[in-house]
Amino acid sequence: MPIPIQVINGKKTVTVLENNPLVMNALSTKLGLSPSLQFHDIYTLDSSSLTHIPSPIHALLVILPLTPAWHASRESEDAPLPLYTASGPSEPVVWFKQTIGHACGSIGLLHCLINGSARKYLLPNSLALQIREQAIPLQMDDRAKMLYDNEAFLNAHQSVAELGDTIAPDAETGDRLGQHFVAFVKGEDGNLWELEGSRKGPINRGFLGEEGLLSEKGVELGIGRVIKLEAESDGGDLRFSCIALAGGEE
């Protein structure tokens, strides 16, 4: 039996997921991604050492500790921003505000699947495709509520919660982990988008054009930006986990 979904302080709360290919490939399958795409571990950001990763790379899913430097950067970026109000088919990416406790992993995964080039690998009538189509016309809060009320999505999350290399944490332990899942995708507009449900909206990190997510420019604008923040703050090594969604035809 999967771990039950809890209601804590009036909010549905699921189990924290591990950021590894075993877990995320299993959840991707349940959400309806074609098996021609798979997640792979990224052990280095040096593109010359990534020859074992199939191409193209469609999305990156990263889990990062909320260090003081990154926290300060997030606060300063978010403070002047208005609430996100975009919706409709002209949105370059579909973004979800997170209102489900500890669902940052599955929402990060969803951001990887329903945006950019991975979207065309969603099977017809799949759960992820249904969620995307339902979300497009909705404003931020209605979109979040739609996902919050989607029992199939919540059950899919819980069904993979005990996979991975470590014992699934309880809710209290999950609260103490202090980590955030972030998805990086290239939108149809050619820009690198940083997608995280606890921010004020999707963040455009800059134009990539024909360059990939793990190109020198892609790393510099994306995960490399956080690594640089930490280095400049004398915070030491930034211990993060990164997996790449890759495969399919060029």
Side-chain angles (χ1 to χ4, degrees):
M1 288 284 292
I3 300 171
I5 298 165
Q6 296 179 275
V7 176
I8 299 176
N9 296 324
K11 179 169 72 174
K12 290 179 185 175
T13 301
V14 292
T15 305
V16 174
L17 298 182
E18 268 190 35
N19 190 37
N20 76 36
L22 174 67
V23 175
M24 295 306 175
N25 285 330
L27 184 52
S28 296
T29 298
K30 290 179 179 295
L31 295 182
L33 182 67
S34 164
S36 62
L37 264 58
Q38 296 281 302
F39 278 98
H40 301 265
D41 277 315
I42 299 296
Y43 298 112
T44 175
L45 297 176
D46 177 2
S47 58
S48 65
S49 301
L50 295 172
T51 54
H52 65 291
I53 306 295
S55 61
I57 293 175
H58 304 274
L60 301 178
L61 186 58
V62 184
I63 189 168
L64 291 152
L66 188 60
T67 64
W70 189 37
H71 177 69
S73 172
R74 291 157 62 94
E75 292 286 306
S76 64
E77 276 192 318
D78 285 354
L81 296 178
L83 290 176
Y84 186 68
T85 58
S87 64
S90 62
E91 272 187 293
V93 289
V94 177
W95 171 80
F96 283 92
K97 174 185 176 181
Q98 181 184 339
T99 58
I100 307 163
H102 295 167
C104 53
S106 53
I107 291 176
L109 174 73
L110 186 64
H111 283 147
C112 291
L113 302 188
I114 66 174
N115 291 300
S117 53
R119 177 166 61 93
K120 66 182 180 180
Y121 293 91
L122 292 174
L123 301 176
N125 301 314
S126 62
L127 179 55
L129 194 57
Q130 291 173 28
I131 289 171
R132 184 182 195 279
E133 291 172 349
Q134 291 170 30
I136 286 173
L138 300 178
Q139 293 285 324
M140 178 181 71
D141 288 338
D142 289 337
R143 189 177 284 183
K145 185 178 186 305
M146 178 270 288
L147 194 63
Y148 185 91
D149 292 337
N150 193 310
E151 292 299 319
F153 177 75
L154 295 171
N155 290 335
H157 176 117
Q158 289 301 94
S159 72
V160 304
E162 294 181 276
L163 300 179
D165 299 324
T166 58
I167 297 173
D170 59 26
E172 184 178 349
T173 303
D175 286 338
R176 294 197 300 267
L177 290 175
Q179 297 175 322
H180 289 256
F181 276 88
V182 182
F184 292 99
V185 301
K186 183 163 70 171
E188 295 180 4
D189 57 359
N191 288 311
L192 174 65
W193 288 90
E194 181 178 318
L195 305 172
E196 182 191 342
S198 61
R199 303 297 293 266
K200 277 193 170 179
I203 302 172
N204 184 347
R205 289 299 181 197
F207 187 66
L208 279 181
E210 297 301 314
E211 296 194 50
L213 294 169
L214 285 175
S215 66
E216 183 177 347
K217 185 175 183 181
V219 170
E220 179 185 352
L221 294 175
I223 180 62
R225 175 185 163 277
V226 185
I227 295 172
K228 183 179 179 182
L229 278 172
E230 194 65 15
E232 291 177 347
S233 72
D234 295 324
D237 290 336
L238 182 68
R239 299 187 181 277
F240 66 92
S241 167
C242 178
I243 59 177
L245 182 61
E249 298 178 357
E250 289 280 6

